[in-house]
Amino acid sequence: MPQRLRTSTTTRRLVVVGAVVAVAALILVAGAVALRISPQAPGASTARLAPTPPMGWNSWNHFGCAVSADLVERTADALTANGMAKLGYDSVDIDDCWMSRQRDARTGELVADPAKFPQGIASVARYLHARGFTLGIYEDAGTATCAGFPGSLGHERLDAQTFARWGVDSLKYDNCNHDGLSSKAQYIERYVAMRDALRATGRPILLAICEWGVHQVWTWAGDVGQTWRTTHDISDSYMSMLANFTVNVTLARYAGSGRGWNDPDMLEIGNGGMTLTEERTEFTLWAAMAAPLIAGADIESLSADDLAIYSNAQVIAIDQDRLGRQAVPIPVGGLPAGSGGLWVLSKPLAGGDLAVVLFNSTDSVQTISTTTSMVGLREGSFELREVWSGAVSTTSGAISSVVAPHAVELFRVSSQSTG
Ligand code: GLA
């Protein structure tokens, strides 16, 4: 009896507790809904739109202004045919020069160049969506794009609505011709205007901020967009890639899951200006930095070697790791990180593994050495798997390699303890 009594008292308590929990849950849900529709909600859209760094293709590095529906659709088909789509390259992005020189005289809307996009942008969006891709487009937070086409400054609402109506999924928003609105506050204002305009459409559209790092975009962009360019434009050379790396690598603490991603610009792999070693280095460094992996080459004519770089699933997994941490640079031999052109990077991964990069940016062969404790591991025995060669070794301390000029070694480090 006492047992039953206790049970029924417990049951009543449970009912009361349950009701309280249900009401609390309702309040939380209502709060979350309010948060989602609030134009000020930081992080919420990033967690949804870019839980890991975006992957895909963009027309600019290889094709410049020579964009067209035909190119975009053929590129999507090539990404499917060569296996890259399956590996995560699912965003197909049209950069500058897709527009007509004038807005529509009656509606004020942007107009796609009818020679390049005879069926319009919505038709390209349908083509991509039917094949599992998203569509990215380009505009500018000034009076004109960098190539001189109509800008969105003062037209944010209308342009965002137009993009939403066409089925656009992401917007790269550039910074040319900004009409003297050049203070930090004015920068933020111009980008927030487009953020709010995109949100007001009700269509989830990723905002890729492209202000080239002018006003320390990494300090404010987490509340505005999902990715932000930290550097000036990359070009197809080792020195340019190295320059962008050197800026971006110092900014690890500003990036991460739910906040957004530092973007050192699109990949040049396959464009001919770097050796295969340098291309592997670019891919490795970008992955370690949890950067967007946006191929900037002619996908239809990639060599087998370049395709193999873009398709290295283990490197992609490090970039896309769900912990969402950007690698931090580690001092080498008691000197500040990067001293003498020698770099050690350490990126914690979900599940306790670590990615460690040894990067020799110099023109001569170098030995680069660190230790498991320097890269942030506790004592123990570890397996080192060099991701490009597949070579496996074990260590309980030293991580050291002779690294060729401009080359990297990328280790996935796992604990060997069975406990
Ligand atoms: C700027 C951007 C580039 C590209 C061009 C297009 O330079 O930084 O990435 O979009 O404009 O004109």
Side-chain angles (χ1 to χ4, degrees):
M1 280 299 145
Q3 179 60 39
R4 267 179 71 193
L5 197 66
R6 211 179 311 137
T7 307
S8 68
T9 310
T10 310
T11 309
R12 268 201 305 277
R13 273 203 202 117
L14 277 177
V15 169
V16 172
V17 170
V20 170
V21 168
V23 170
L26 272 176
I27 292 169
L28 275 178
V29 168
V33 171
L35 202 69
R36 194 160 329 135
I37 56 173
S38 154
Q40 302 309 325
S45 33
T46 295
R48 196 168 26 128
L49 289 167
T52 59
M55 292 177 65
W57 171 85
N58 175 294
S59 53
W60 182 255
N61 283 3
H62 190 89
F63 294 96
C65 275
V67 289
S68 66
D70 188 44
L71 170 70
V72 170
E73 294 174 3
R74 281 194 286 114
T75 298
D77 291 346
L79 289 167
T80 303
N82 73 10
M84 286 174 69
K86 260 205 201 106
L87 289 164
Y89 296 88
D90 61 1
S91 168
V92 174
D93 305 343
I94 311 168
D95 209 283
D96 206 349
C97 307
W98 59 269
M99 282 179 245
S100 294
R101 290 278 169 195
Q102 305 295 336
R103 289 174 175 272
D104 183 284
R106 192 176 54 81
T107 64
E109 288 181 358
L110 296 168
V111 180
D113 181 328
K116 294 172 176 170
F117 296 90
Q119 259 79 57
I121 301 295
S123 154
V124 176
R126 280 192 296 276
Y127 187 96
L128 294 178
H129 293 160
R131 289 158 182 78
F133 294 95
T134 59
L135 168 64
I137 210 159
Y138 165 98
E139 244 295 5
D140 188 283
T143 55
T145 72
C146 296
F149 294 88
S152 283
L153 187 63
H155 304 270
E156 292 88 352
R157 288 265 154 167
L158 179 60
D159 293 351
Q161 281 160 13
T162 306
F163 297 146
R165 180 162 51 79
W166 286 345
V168 165
D169 304 291
S170 68
L171 172 66
K172 172 176 173 180
Y173 204 42
D174 212 345
N175 190 31
C176 279
N177 306 302
H178 52 50
D179 219 12
L181 301 175
S182 55
S183 72
K184 183 172 178 180
Q186 287 165 326
Y187 265 51
I188 295 174
E189 211 175 304
R190 287 185 291 115
Y191 283 90
V192 165
M194 183 51 89
R195 175 199 71 179
D196 291 346
L198 292 173
R199 283 186 184 169
T201 68
R203 182 177 175 83
I205 299 178
L206 182 150
L207 180 58
I209 297 173
C210 182
E211 65 81 92
W212 318 311
V214 175
H215 278 304
Q216 290 83 42
V217 62
W218 45 87
T219 62
W220 52 267
D223 294 341
V224 184
Q226 285 68 53
T227 68
W228 46 86
R229 280 270 304 276
T230 55
T231 66
H232 286 284
D233 289 11
I234 200 164
S235 59
D236 187 15
S237 74
Y238 173 72
M239 289 315 287
S240 168
M241 186 274 288
L242 181 60
N244 282 14
F245 160 75
T246 306
V247 172
N248 199 76
V249 74
T250 64
L251 303 173
R253 70 195 171 96
Y254 300 101
S257 288
R259 175 172 162 80
W261 311 104
N262 290 318
D263 176 7
D265 209 355
M266 301 165 292
L267 298 162
E268 293 282 8
I269 297 155
N271 283 333
M274 290 189 282
T275 65
L276 279 176
T277 295
E278 292 163 350
E279 291 184 336
R280 250 177 244 125
T281 293
E282 182 181 45
F283 202 59
T284 302
L285 297 176
W286 265 231
M289 294 190 295
L293 296 180
I294 307 295
D298 177 1
I299 300 299
E300 287 182 300
S301 64
L302 278 182
S303 70
D305 285 338
D306 289 328
L307 178 59
I309 295 174
Y310 278 123
S311 305
N312 188 313
Q314 292 179 57
V315 183
I316 293 172
I318 288 169
D319 179 77
Q320 296 289 303
D321 184 81
R322 65 189 156 78
L323 201 57
R325 301 269 292 274
Q326 175 172 332
V328 290
I330 305 287
V332 187
L335 297 170
S339 297
L342 306 185
W343 292 91
V344 174
L345 309 179
S346 169
K347 181 186 201 287
L349 303 171
D353 282 7
L354 199 69
V356 174
V357 179
L358 308 182
F359 169 37
N360 172 13
S361 74
T362 77
D363 295 338
S364 55
V365 177
Q366 303 278 348
T367 300
I368 306 180
S369 303
T370 187
T371 62
T372 46
S373 72
M374 280 298 289
V375 296
L377 294 166
R378 289 170 188 278
E379 286 197 352
S381 176
F382 298 91
E383 179 188 276
L384 304 179
R385 179 178 297 271
E386 205 290 312
V387 167
W388 290 104
S389 66
V392 178
S393 55
T394 57
T395 184
S396 50
I399 302 176
S400 178
S401 271
V402 177
V403 188
H406 301 186
V408 289
E409 302 257 308
L410 168 57
F411 296 104
R412 189 166 181 127
V413 184
S414 323
S415 173
Q416 288 203 309
S417 67
T418 48

